[in-house]
Amino acid sequence: MVKLTIPAPELMYSGHSACPGCAPALAMRLMLKGLGPRTIVSVPACCWTVVATPYPTTALGVAMLDNPIESTGASISGLRAAADALGLTDVHILGFAGDGGTADIGLQALSGMLERRTNAIYAMYDNEAYMNTGVQRSGATPLGAWTTTTPVGDGARGKAEPKKDVMGIVLAHRPVYAATVNPSFPEDFVRKVEKAAALRGPRFFHIFTPCPPGWRYPSDQTIEIGRKATDCGIFPLYEVEEGRYHVTRKGGSLRPVTEYFQAQGRFSHLVPEDLARVQAQVNADWQRLLRLESGT
Amino acid sequence: MGATIEIRFHGRGGQGAVVASELLAQAAFLDGKRPQSFPFFGVERRGAPVTAYTRIDDHPLGIRTSITTPDIVVVLEPSLLRTQPVTDGLKEDGLLLVNTRNPAQELMIPVPARRAVVDANQIAVAHGLGSLTMPIVNTAVLGALVAASGVVSMTALDQAIEEFVPARQAENRAAAEDGYHAVRMVEANMPFTPPVPRAVGPTPQLPEGPMATLSSELIHTAAWRTLRPVVHLEHCTRCNFCWKFCPDDAFQFDEKGYPVVRYEYCKGCGICVVECPPRVIEMVEEV
Ligand SMILES: Cc1ncc(C[n+]2csc(CCOP(=O)(O)OP(=O)(O)O)c2C)c(N)n1
Ligand code: SF4
Ligand code: SF4
Ligand SMILES: [Mg+2]
């Protein structure tokens, strides 16, 4: 009767303690829809440890290991070895970590896991700051964004440095599969996860996850902001399989970046010249991505 | 008064519990007291339970520990009464102040203390503090606390808000004033049964099996919202976008394939309203 475009089984339960409108909650929901119940998740300190564990309950229908913030990569290498030793070779091992725990604090463990060719999936849900501890800037915070440690006012104008290119760092390790996904595009998201699930070796996801309190926008705008991020070219959707690029959402020309920036309080101090610079960078990055795809 | 007055605040991240405890201390200082204020170390996520402490004394305080036997417990979010041990240690002759619009239901808690209630959400919304979905209730609750307990003077609270609240001082002062007048003392509607003392023994061993095995669906998050989505099924096309985009998995389908909101879990984020293509979901005020 109901025609669903993504799998019906829910492995993320209601009653979790994410904020209203939390995209990282949707990211976990979609990730587990794609991977299914034979999965073990390793979560470092980040919003998701708190979201999943209103003690004595769990919001996950799969086993979860809570680990220190810097060690997600190492923990999934260990989980893989243990699972294989027990003969659980069909079980998916998933590391599910924030941007702070990935781009900054856990970068060496991620690099180690990729370099060891661990047969596991590492997913970074990127809400572009340390949210669990109250919005401090991370390496993944974009240029110009307000956070509590990159304030606005008295001459300060948000983060002065551009966002770290985590996909670039990961791709330098030549994983078997890496993709960007966005909960605003659930079918694309689940299709990529299902594809990755069928492969063996190190796999990586960069998940775009708006955060209403951290980005300062009303909670009903989460999906819309995610959609704008992709359609304005800020967060293009693509996958890289054995080095081959494939852009999975093109849809004609990019929307102007102002549509994305205007929707968020964390960028409200930016002036047209700032946005013009961002637009130029986004255009150049988009052309570069298209060239990587066409192999020219 | 003489002895130290100990006040413990319980709220959710975003409601201003920590700021409430600081403002109360500032007001006490303006009254010539020697107060202290500090939060419990924990997460700062919106919606997460937050605890903060204020002590008020005539003399400088040496003690730095958290408050376990409070004279006053202030609860900014009524659902915490069911999910957190907020009344633990509350003195028998103490005071419990709860922000609620539904006192009969919320106050079925077995403590002997006096109880006061105030509908601070309504006051905060009326003064445009926070949003409809997350009103900032701290100043309205502080006004109510002054009326119900007299721990600080209203003049001092007013001045503390003026000096230390970073924005919208006028609205916050008005909210405190409204809270002062709106607070009501209520009778306990359940006989007091003394709690069974907790067994004190050696720290339990960590289990070798999983730590948490119950589903989080045991926890109802309905009280997080101030607005609820209502689906007008006459115009629903059964596209299931609402289900697909709900971060709380709060939709199920009836046997004809129409969406049904599981109101126990909906946090009122409003995503389904915005994402519904024919726009047949509407947010209505909780009653
Ligand atoms: C080594 C270490 N430093 C600091 C912390 C405190 N801490 C807990 S969660 C967190 C934020 C993590 O940010 P991110 O990885 O981006 O996840 P988010 O909270 O945004 O979901 C921090 C700093 C910690 N747990 N361990
Ligand atoms: S702070 Fe942001 S990422 Fe963390 S639970 Fe809230 S909405 Fe989600
Ligand atoms: S308001 Fe938000 S939490 Fe409630 S049903 Fe709609 S999408 Fe889900
Ligand atoms: Mg983060």
Side-chain angles (χ1 to χ4, degrees):
Chain A
M1 189 99 36
V2 191
K3 241 179 77 239
L4 299 179
T5 51
I6 53 173
E10 301 291 354
L11 290 165
M12 182 200 81
Y13 303 143
S14 305
H16 63 65
S17 46
C19 306
C22 172
L26 275 169
M28 179 67 93
R29 186 174 171 226
L30 293 169
M31 187 54 89
L32 292 181
K33 277 179 185 291
L35 291 180
R38 300 278 295 166
T39 301
I40 299 173
V41 192
S42 173
V43 180
C46 60
C47 279
W48 246 106
T49 15
V50 182
V51 170
T53 55
Y55 187 77
T57 73
T58 169
L60 299 181
V62 299
M64 171 184 149
L65 176 77
D66 195 355
N67 66 265
I69 194 166
E70 59 277 31
S71 46
T72 310
S75 78
I76 60 179
S77 287
L79 280 171
R80 176 80 274 163
D84 287 352
L86 293 170
L88 302 172
T89 47
D90 67 312
V91 166
H92 296 299
I93 305 295
L94 170 68
F96 197 86
D99 51 293
T102 303
D104 300 339
I105 309 182
L107 192 60
Q108 56 78 20
L110 168 62
S111 173
M113 167 264 169
L114 294 168
E115 186 269 337
R116 282 187 295 274
R117 314 305 291 168
T118 296
N119 176 27
I121 299 174
Y122 190 117
M124 169 178 77
Y125 70 93
D126 187 2
N127 51 19
E128 303 197 320
Y130 292 81
M131 294 308 182
N132 191 38
T133 40
V135 203
Q136 294 83 25
R137 63 88 95 183
S138 79
T141 303
L143 181 69
W146 165 90
T147 67
T148 55
T149 48
T150 53
V152 172
D154 291 335
R157 305 194 60 244
K159 193 184 174 201
E161 304 81 16
K163 183 179 174 82
K164 193 184 277 196
D165 178 8
V166 177
M167 275 296 270
I169 294 170
V170 168
L171 287 169
H173 294 75
R174 303 185 184 213
V176 298
Y177 183 84
T180 60
V181 287
N182 180 340
S184 296
F185 301 92
E187 292 81 9
D188 176 83
F189 191 131
V190 174
R191 186 191 62 76
K192 285 171 177 165
V193 174
E194 285 171 344
K195 183 170 190 174
L199 300 170
R200 291 180 64 80
R203 290 148 285 168
F204 183 82
F205 284 96
H206 183 174
I207 316 177
F208 188 78
T209 51
C211 160
W215 296 13
R216 295 179 156 183
Y217 68 83
S219 59
D220 60 3
Q221 293 301 307
T222 290
I223 304 299
E224 191 50 29
I225 285 177
R227 205 175 276 130
K228 285 186 172 127
T230 291
D231 289 345
C232 298
I234 308 271
F235 190 82
L237 296 183
Y238 62 99
E239 59 191 347
V240 186
E241 218 182 329
E242 300 289 358
R244 286 185 310 279
Y245 282 72
H246 175 213
V247 181
T248 58
R249 185 175 165 87
K250 285 210 185 98
S253 57
L254 298 179
R255 313 272 320 157
V257 295
T258 45
E259 291 184 7
Y260 172 74
F261 281 83
Q262 272 162 1
Q264 302 170 52
R266 65 175 173 154
F267 293 125
S268 59
H269 56 285
L270 297 187
V271 294
E273 298 82 81
D274 296 321
L275 294 175
R277 270 195 294 277
V278 173
Q279 185 69 66
Q281 187 63 49
V282 164
N283 292 349
D285 289 348
W286 178 245
Q287 291 308 323
R288 182 171 165 269
L289 182 62
L290 294 179
R291 281 198 302 279
L292 284 166
E293 185 185 36
S294 64
T296 53
Chain B
M1 282 192 171
T4 311
I5 305 174
E6 297 187 312
I7 302 134
R8 197 170 65 205
F9 290 86
H10 295 273
R12 289 197 187 279
Q15 290 185 309
V18 176
V19 173
S21 113
E22 286 168 1
L23 281 174
L24 184 65
Q26 295 287 6
F29 189 77
L30 293 169
D31 274 339
K33 308 279 185 181
R34 289 290 175 271
Q36 64 175 209
S37 156
F38 53 98
F40 178 81
F41 174 78
V43 292
E44 291 192 34
R45 195 165 28 76
R46 190 183 284 186
V50 169
T51 305
Y53 311 99
T54 307
R55 277 196 183 89
I56 300 176
D57 202 299
D58 292 332
H59 306 286
L61 287 156
I63 188 165
R64 289 289 183 273
T65 60
S66 60
I67 293 173
T68 52
T69 54
D71 299 280
I72 302 176
V73 165
V74 181
V75 182
L76 279 68
E77 158 63 51
S79 69
L80 295 172
L81 289 166
R82 289 184 294 275
T83 59
Q84 302 279 307
V86 296
T87 55
D88 264 16
L90 175 59
K91 293 198 178 122
E92 287 195 15
D93 57 351
L95 170 71
L96 173 66
L97 169 63
V98 182
N99 165 29
T100 176
R101 68 177 78 178
N102 192 1
Q105 187 199 328
E106 306 298 1
L107 292 182
M108 298 216 307
I109 355 159
V111 293
R114 294 185 302 131
R115 296 125 193 272
V117 293
V118 65
D119 185 353
N121 282 37
Q122 196 207 324
I123 296 171
V125 168
H127 291 286
L129 297 170
S131 63
L132 269 182
T133 44
M134 181 56 82
I136 301 175
V137 296
N138 53 5
T139 43
V141 168
L142 284 176
L145 176 64
V146 172
S149 71
V151 278
V152 297
S153 68
M154 200 58 193
T155 328
L157 177 62
D158 193 59
Q159 195 183 335
I161 294 174
E162 178 71 37
E163 277 186 43
F164 299 105
V165 172
R168 318 198 66 167
Q169 293 86 354
E171 289 86 346
N172 277 294
R173 289 168 61 194
E177 188 67 33
D178 284 1
Y180 184 90
H181 294 293
V183 70
R184 290 189 296 121
M185 299 306 295
V186 289
E187 290 294 318
N189 51 9
M190 247 177 65
F192 170 59
T193 39
V196 184
R198 284 212 192 128
V200 181
T203 314
Q205 293 287 308
L206 285 180
E208 280 180 22
M211 293 285 289
T213 47
L214 301 167
S215 159
S216 61
E217 302 222 331
L218 286 172
I219 294 172
H220 290 180
T221 46
W224 292 38
R225 65 171 186 261
T226 51
L227 298 174
R228 65 160 61 200
V230 173
V231 189
H232 296 290
L233 292 179
E234 337 56 285
H235 304 295
C236 168
T237 60
R238 293 182 282 185
C239 68
N240 61 63
F241 274 44
C242 51
W243 168 80
K244 197 161 68 174
F245 288 121
C246 174
D248 287 278
D249 186 19
F251 279 95
Q252 62 190 29
F253 300 107
D254 68 13
E255 64 290 347
K256 294 208 186 87
Y258 285 104
V260 179
V261 183
R262 300 156 77 219
Y263 286 113
E264 316 89 275
Y265 304 113
C266 166
K267 291 178 188 153
C269 70
I271 286 178
C272 53
V273 174
V274 173
E275 295 306 319
C276 168
R279 290 278 183 162
V280 304
I281 309 180
E282 149 185 57
M283 277 313 220
V284 303
E285 189 107 10
E286 278 292 337
V287 280

